[in-house]
Amino acid sequence: MVDMRSIAENFKKLVGIEAEPEFWDVEKGHIKRFAQAIGDENPIYYDEEYAKKTRYGGIVAPPFFLIDAGLVKLVDRLVAMCPELANINGSTEIEFYRPMMVGDRIKTVAKLADVEEKVGKSGPMIFLTIEVTYTNQRQEIVAKCRNIFIRR
């Protein structure tokens, strides 16, 4: 049997520690493919002439373009600490501050913000709150994401 209290204590030692930054280039072809994949036909995502006439002055990325960016390495590290536990995405909250434009270089920094133990009908669970900050090359915050992962 897995000692959930011990596992939670090991996770708590990592609270506040930031993962190594990851960098993502916002590229026109990638934006177009992403928009096609999600079924969004808004020309602001692929038509340069149309996009130039908007308030943004150029092609922008859909809001969820980089949603997984920055999470993967940290989540993989947390899963590896106790691979026998299931990992469930409990919730995702995102705040968008400015659009991601073609040519932007986005830096993502993820950190484990909180660890909480709970007991449900199926037994003990650990809730891991991960926060990711997305910043462009001008040091402007593009978005913030807060994910809660449930380990059980």
Side-chain angles (χ1 to χ4, degrees):
M1 182 174 221
V2 177
D3 179 3
M4 294 294 275
R5 179 166 298 295
S6 174
I7 293 168
E9 290 306 315
N10 285 334
F11 284 134
K12 287 178 182 178
K13 292 175 186 174
L14 299 176
V15 169
I17 296 174
E18 293 182 345
E20 285 292 316
E22 295 181 47
F23 295 89
W24 303 83
D25 294 317
V26 180
E27 190 266 329
K28 179 181 171 183
H30 191 184
I31 291 172
K32 182 177 181 179
R33 287 188 300 280
F34 182 86
Q36 289 170 335
I38 63 172
D40 193 329
E41 298 177 9
N42 188 332
I44 198 165
Y45 302 139
Y46 62 86
D47 184 330
E48 286 187 60
E49 292 306 313
Y50 174 87
K52 284 180 186 175
K53 297 173 188 170
T54 69
R55 65 182 173 143
Y56 303 110
I59 291 175
V60 299
F64 291 100
F65 181 67
L66 292 176
I67 193 61
D68 285 339
L71 275 176
V72 176
K73 287 182 182 177
L74 181 58
V75 171
D76 285 351
R77 180 178 172 191
L78 297 173
V79 168
M81 287 176 62
C82 194
E84 65 272 15
L85 296 180
N87 195 45
I88 303 163
N89 187 347
S91 70
T92 302
E93 298 173 7
I94 305 168
E95 294 178 65
F96 296 101
Y97 299 102
R98 56 182 58 257
M100 291 172 279
M101 307 289 296
V102 169
D104 279 351
R105 183 160 177 81
I106 305 297
K107 178 174 91 171
T108 64
V109 178
K111 72 176 179 179
L112 180 61
D114 191 31
V115 176
E116 189 176 352
E117 298 173 72
K118 294 185 180 185
V119 177
K121 290 179 182 179
S122 62
M125 301 176 284
I126 301 170
F127 287 67
L128 305 174
T129 302
I130 299 172
E131 294 176 348
V132 183
T133 301
Y134 303 84
T135 308
N136 65 22
Q137 70 277 8
R138 292 177 296 283
Q139 307 309 311
E140 300 166 327
I141 294 176
V142 172
K144 289 185 178 184
C145 179
R146 184 175 176 90
N147 281 80
I148 298 177
F149 289 96
I150 303 167
R151 304 295 314 271
R152 50 176 309 239

